[in-house]
Amino acid sequence: MRPAIKNIVREFQFEGDFLSANMYGTGHIHDTYAAIFQAGGDTRRYILQRINQNVFRDPEGVMKNIQAVTAHLRRKILAAGGDPLRETLNLIPTIDGNCYHKTEEGDYWRAFTFIEGARTYDFVENLDHVYNAAKAFGSFQTMLSDFPSEQLEETIPNFHHTGVRYQAFISSVENDIMNRADNCQPEIDFVTQRAGVTSTLIDMLNRGDLPERVTHNDTKFNNVMIDDQTGEGICIVDLDTVMPGLSLYDFGDSIRSMANTAAEDELDLSRVNFDLQIYRSYSHGFLDAAGRILSPREIEQLPFSAILMTLECGMRFLTDHLQGDIYYKIHRQNHNLDRCRTQFKLVSDMEEQLDSMTEIVENITIRQDNYVQS
């Protein structure tokens, strides 16, 4: 049922008189509206969202994180002479000064300024997009490199703990509550054959070989706003999963989402390939922005992280298929199984091209080192 938006907007410090609100964007998690106001002779837009509490069980923790991180980013952007109204999300306070409004029914609402003159893209259109998106994610890492990660809530526990994801997968196979395991045995075997690598990054973190950082954890291409005029990535959005993590999660998930030559649910796997050119452009942009704050071990593991994050995503699709499609929305029979197959095809391609991926990163870092020394 459509909520009474007029009642919700009264709870926030919007400028102007409320005109209308319509569903906005292509996201599948929250209820998102573009709210339009008349302020003098100008029309202003804001983003208004109802938080999905089925996915985010601690909405107050989510909002605490977003408020802290965006305040930190704003300070960094101002110090660099940038425009914080366009280069980070800006929360609209409620009439009582809070960063969210909780209704009597228990719903949580939040609002942001609308960033005009920029947009998100669901698909990569050119390599400049890739490079600029990578620079935006790398800059995000760099600006937050001095933020104490322990101050943030874990909004989705074990979100990128691939070892935990693997155990959940094994349980779904063993329980097989939907009697689907027999029809996806090749996919099950694909995962179990790679069981040994699932905890690699977490083990390195626990040994102190990798630093814990503030990470975005959902670095899809459509979570970067691209400026309409310059084509540059200006703002990282969808900060719900910002929490302690590894820089490798962000790099690897970006490669997974951008370097696929086909749709995520493509049925014809011959069309699903790993695009090494996109990988090269992304690696270049990310390291141009974040290379100076990354440790040698982090840089060394960048190629592997792309494989692991892609394997993890495919494993999650397969787990959901085995459990009855309870997390990801499906639009056809076996939709999550189709999705997992595209991820596993990408994993296979990446494994075959790992030497080339490693060489690309090494060449970029060598050029950067030579530039700094000169």
Side-chain angles (χ1 to χ4, degrees):
M1 182 176 66
R2 182 182 173 91
I5 297 296
K6 286 185 178 180
N7 295 333
I8 301 300
V9 298
R10 294 192 188 105
E11 301 295 333
F12 290 88
Q13 296 181 37
F14 294 120
E15 294 185 18
D17 298 320
F18 175 63
L19 297 179
S20 64
N22 297 297
M23 296 294 291
Y24 183 82
T26 60
H28 299 303
I29 303 297
H30 307 298
D31 295 326
T32 303
Y33 300 85
I36 303 174
F37 290 76
Q38 187 74 40
D42 297 327
T43 298
R44 298 184 182 180
R45 290 194 289 178
Y46 298 90
I47 291 295
L48 184 66
Q49 284 185 323
R50 177 167 56 180
I51 299 174
N52 185 331
Q53 294 182 67
N54 292 322
V55 175
F56 295 98
R57 305 291 180 87
D58 180 16
E60 295 183 15
V62 168
M63 295 309 299
K64 174 187 173 184
N65 285 2
I66 293 175
Q67 188 175 41
V69 165
T70 54
H72 185 88
L73 292 172
R74 183 180 180 86
R75 289 192 293 270
K76 289 297 182 76
I77 293 165
L78 283 170
D83 182 358
L85 293 178
R86 301 193 80 230
E87 296 175 34
T88 186
L89 294 179
N90 287 267
L91 286 161
I92 303 298
T94 62
I95 56 176
D96 58 2
N98 206 343
C99 63
Y100 61 85
H101 169 65
K102 183 180 180 181
T103 68
E104 292 182 356
E105 296 76 22
D107 291 331
Y108 284 81
W109 288 83
R110 64 189 178 195
F112 301 96
T113 56
F114 194 103
I115 299 175
E116 303 287 359
R119 55 170 289 197
T120 60
Y121 293 79
D122 288 328
F123 301 100
V124 171
E125 295 186 357
N126 55 64
L127 291 179
D128 286 341
H129 270 181
V130 175
Y131 177 83
N132 288 328
K135 278 190 68 177
F137 279 123
S139 296
F140 184 83
Q141 282 275 310
T142 299
M143 287 190 289
L144 290 169
S145 61
D146 59 348
F147 187 101
S149 62
E150 66 275 7
Q151 292 185 9
L152 297 181
E153 305 288 338
E154 193 174 11
T155 57
I156 300 181
N158 298 315
F159 188 58
H160 279 313
H161 193 309
T162 315
V164 170
R165 296 289 189 183
Y166 179 76
Q167 293 304 319
F169 158 74
I170 290 298
S171 295
S172 71
V173 174
E174 293 174 346
N175 294 329
D176 194 19
I177 60 174
M178 304 300 293
N179 297 313
R180 293 177 172 179
D182 287 344
N183 293 325
C184 50
Q185 195 58 50
E187 291 74 28
I188 292 172
D189 292 342
F190 186 92
V191 177
T192 56
Q193 289 163 8
R194 291 159 176 80
V197 305
T198 56
S199 64
T200 298
L201 296 184
I202 287 294
D203 289 344
M204 293 181 71
L205 172 65
N206 291 336
R207 291 196 304 267
D209 294 337
L210 296 173
E212 184 176 77
R213 299 185 182 277
V214 177
T215 48
H216 185 279
N217 297 298
D218 189 19
T219 49
K220 301 187 296 291
F221 181 54
N222 61 8
N223 279 334
V224 182
M225 296 202 72
I226 305 293
D227 187 270
D228 292 340
Q229 299 298 319
T230 66
E232 294 181 358
I234 61 166
C235 182
I236 304 301
V237 300
D238 195 0
L239 304 182
D240 298 318
T241 54
V242 170
M243 54 186 164
L246 297 176
S247 63
L248 297 164
Y249 297 158
D250 283 2
F251 180 88
D253 202 39
S254 283
I255 299 300
R256 177 200 68 79
S257 70
M258 293 188 203
N260 184 354
T261 58
E264 188 177 67
D265 57 358
E266 174 61 53
L267 292 171
D268 181 1
L269 293 182
S270 68
R271 300 179 62 185
V272 178
N273 297 287
F274 175 60
D275 192 321
L276 199 62
Q277 285 293 98
I278 288 179
Y279 174 83
R280 178 181 286 106
S281 292
Y282 191 91
S283 299
H284 205 297
F286 189 79
L287 287 169
D288 276 354
R292 64 182 177 84
I293 62 108
L294 298 177
S295 71
R297 293 304 297 273
E298 286 176 290
I299 294 173
E300 174 189 284
Q301 292 298 321
L302 290 175
F304 170 73
S305 74
I307 296 175
L308 186 65
M309 289 297 96
T310 308
L311 176 65
E312 178 190 284
C313 184
M315 187 166 57
R316 290 177 62 193
F317 284 139
L318 182 54
T319 299
D320 201 31
H321 172 73
L322 292 168
Q323 292 179 340
D325 309 303
I326 58 177
Y327 187 86
Y328 297 105
K329 292 181 181 180
I330 62 170
H331 305 290
R332 62 175 184 252
Q333 188 175 7
N334 294 330
H335 200 172
N336 278 319
L337 181 58
D338 296 334
R339 288 165 169 155
C340 102
R341 287 169 173 163
T342 65
Q343 300 303 303
F344 293 166
K345 175 59 163 54
L346 277 181
V347 169
S348 296
D349 276 10
M350 290 179 187
E351 289 173 340
E352 292 177 2
Q353 299 187 66
L354 181 58
D355 288 345
S356 296
M357 295 166 67
T358 301
E359 183 179 0
I360 286 169
V361 170
E362 289 175 348
N363 288 339
I364 292 171
T365 54
I366 289 171
R367 287 199 298 272
Q368 289 179 335
D369 288 344
N370 289 338
Y371 176 79
V372 170
Q373 291 171 6
S374 64

